[in-house]
Amino acid sequence: MNFTNRDIIGISELTKTEILHILKIAKSLKQKPQPKILEHKVMGSCFFEPSTRTRLSFETAMERLGGKVVGFADPGVTSAKKGESLFDAIKIIGQYVDVIAMRHPIEGAARRAAEATDKPILNGGDGANQHPTQTLLDLFTIQECQKKLEGLSIALVGDLKYGRTTHSLAQALAHFNAKLYFVAPDSLQMPGYICDELKNNNIKFSIHQKIEEVINKVDIFYMTRIQGERFADPMEYERVKNVFVLNAKMLEKAKPNLKVMHPLPRVNEITTSVDKTPHAYYFEQAENGLYVREALLGLVLGKL
Amino acid sequence: MSESLQKNKLLVTAIKDGTVIDHITAAHALKIIRLLNLADHNKRVTVGLNLPSKTMGLKDLIKVEGRELTEEEIKRVAILAPEATINIIKNYQIAKKFHAEIPDVIEYVVVCPNPICITNNENMDSKFIVKKEKNNIKLKCWYCEKTFPQEEIRDYKNN
Ligand SMILES: Nc1ncnc2c1ncn2[C@@H]1O[C@H](COP(=O)(O)OP(=O)(O)OP(=O)(O)O)[C@@H](O)[C@H]1O
Ligand SMILES: [Mg+2]
Ligand SMILES: [Zn+2]
């Protein structure tokens, strides 16, 4: 397995063995910090679209390994505004830094960026396309709280049609023989091409409209936000909005090991009453983004 | 003209030397002519649109006099009309007949239907991975990773 100089653009480019290796490294970094391994290395933090969590966790990950960070958090400050191509921008930044973490609103931007420079690109989200570090931190978190990845029952809930987070997670879970429950309003169910892929991989899944149908069966309840703008009919949104809310009372008969996850930010789809239950795990999940990003930085820079 | 119309087979005038592109997916002949600049010379080009076909329902057909398509051009025909048959005519006879084979990777020509794909937002070539399933062809964009059935491709670029 050689990660040195590799671009991390999408989760599907990583084999099961590679994923497990990244998770192992992330775990060791969580247990034992390595504050010096990236000394004298510089990360370009190129955020062509605003993001707080992803950007800050990439940047702190680099700093915690002893590296330095340069970059921008808002494309308004770059020459992209003057019409410079992404290709030129990344080519030049690649001459200054050792690794680039980027987010861009346009789909395929990370792949394009990887063609512009020899330095490794870590994709922190390219529009609705890929966001592999999110999937890796999700897998890390599942493994951490369940002590295993194989054979778990996992509910993916909310906007399954447009949410790239749940698409990538479902695809990645196909490596680990999960039983999947897709809980969403009809109009926001998992796209057919993902279901076909899962069928081809012999992954069992079932379709549900209500949280109550699955909450007592699963090991992981992965909630995502349903956004009003996805609905042509505002009445439909009003109806659905209140059905897809998780509160503490609904967890009374859940399995003791059930953990609730969410990519955050949450608005009101998980009430704060859940925070105090032993099932809440979304803040730990967000923290884990740090270790997974540290692992990737160390790996692609050849230091881990 | 009226005489040739009566003859079902040689719908338009016979050519001595040249290329007949037959079994073109209906509505694609004009795109092919534009894309390959087939009319960019003073030789005769005849086009049949929406001709009845036993196997395809309707088909288009192009006859180009005095020009044998290059391999590169044949690839491009295949991208637009994967069922096309190429007939090379020499001295009024069909000297060669073959199917245009769609390449496994298409690195130009096709415009990604996804408006928020990087290929539509930056001056660059597109790239598609061709997935051939039984009798349908799907193209997966190398950049935005969306997959489109061949029929959903609306635009082609001459590059
Ligand atoms: N000399 C020619 N000038 C112009 N067109 C020609 C000439 N010879 C053949 N063609 C055309 O080329 C195409 C293929 O001719 P062919 O005689 O092989 O017909 P076919 O048996 O229907 O072939 P296929 O099995 O490919 O449909 C037909 O459209 C025919 O009209
Ligand atoms: Mg025929
Ligand atoms: Zn595309």
Side-chain angles (χ1 to χ4, degrees), chain B residues 34-159:
Chain B
R34 210 177 331 119
L35 190 68
L36 301 192
N37 288 327
L38 288 182
D40 224 16
H41 52 71
N42 51 18
K43 305 270 171 49
R44 184 178 342 188
V45 177
T46 45
V47 187
L49 302 180
N50 296 327
L51 307 178
S53 156
K54 277 188 211 93
T55 48
M56 306 174 66
L58 292 177
K59 66 171 185 185
D60 289 355
L61 178 146
I62 305 171
K63 303 192 183 192
V64 193
E65 184 140 21
R67 179 160 162 191
E68 198 172 314
L69 296 192
T70 64
E71 266 184 42
E72 177 58 35
E73 288 170 323
I74 290 167
K75 262 197 225 161
R76 290 174 178 227
V77 169
I79 295 164
L80 274 79
E83 292 173 82
T85 315
I86 315 280
N87 300 277
I88 308 292
I89 313 289
K90 296 227 164 96
N91 199 19
Y92 295 104
Q93 301 297 312
I94 295 177
K96 253 194 282 175
K97 180 197 283 285
F98 51 92
H99 273 282
E101 223 4 86
I102 193 161
D104 296 327
V105 179
I106 305 173
E107 296 210 49
Y108 35 65
V109 179
V110 174
V111 174
C112 183
N114 175 9
I116 42 178
C117 174
I118 187 75
T119 58
N120 292 316
N121 289 273
E122 178 131 331
N123 185 10
M124 62 183 285
D125 283 340
S126 64
K127 178 171 170 182
F128 288 83
I129 310 299
V130 178
K131 296 183 183 172
K132 299 169 201 177
E133 295 162 4
K134 280 156 259 157
N135 38 22
N136 65 45
I137 290 174
K138 288 184 174 163
L139 306 182
K140 180 171 183 188
C141 175
W142 175 249
Y143 293 94
C144 73
E145 307 188 33
K146 301 259 174 318
T147 301
F148 306 94
Q150 159 86 19
E151 316 81 76
E152 264 177 41
I153 307 292
R154 294 258 164 267
D155 269 323
Y156 299 89
K157 249 198 312 214
N158 196 347
N159 52 354

Side-chain angles (χ1 to χ4, degrees), chain A residues 5-24:
Chain A
N5 260 327
R6 247 177 93 170
D7 303 308
I8 307 292
I9 309 290
I11 193 74
S12 56
E13 287 154 40
L14 296 169
T15 64
K16 179 176 178 176
T17 324
E18 288 169 342
I19 291 174
L20 289 171
H21 185 66
I22 295 167
L23 302 188
K24 198 177 92 191

Side-chain angles (χ1 to χ4, degrees), chain A residues 111-128:
Chain A
R111 176 92 51 212
R112 179 62 174 162
E115 291 169 353
T117 179
D118 292 336
K119 303 293 166 58
I121 298 279
L122 302 180
N123 184 8
D126 56 334

Side-chain angles (χ1 to χ4, degrees), chain A residues 158-172:
Chain A
D159 180 356
L160 303 184
K161 183 166 183 196
Y162 300 100
R164 67 175 168 202
T165 313
T166 50
H167 298 172
S168 304
L169 185 55
Q171 288 168 315

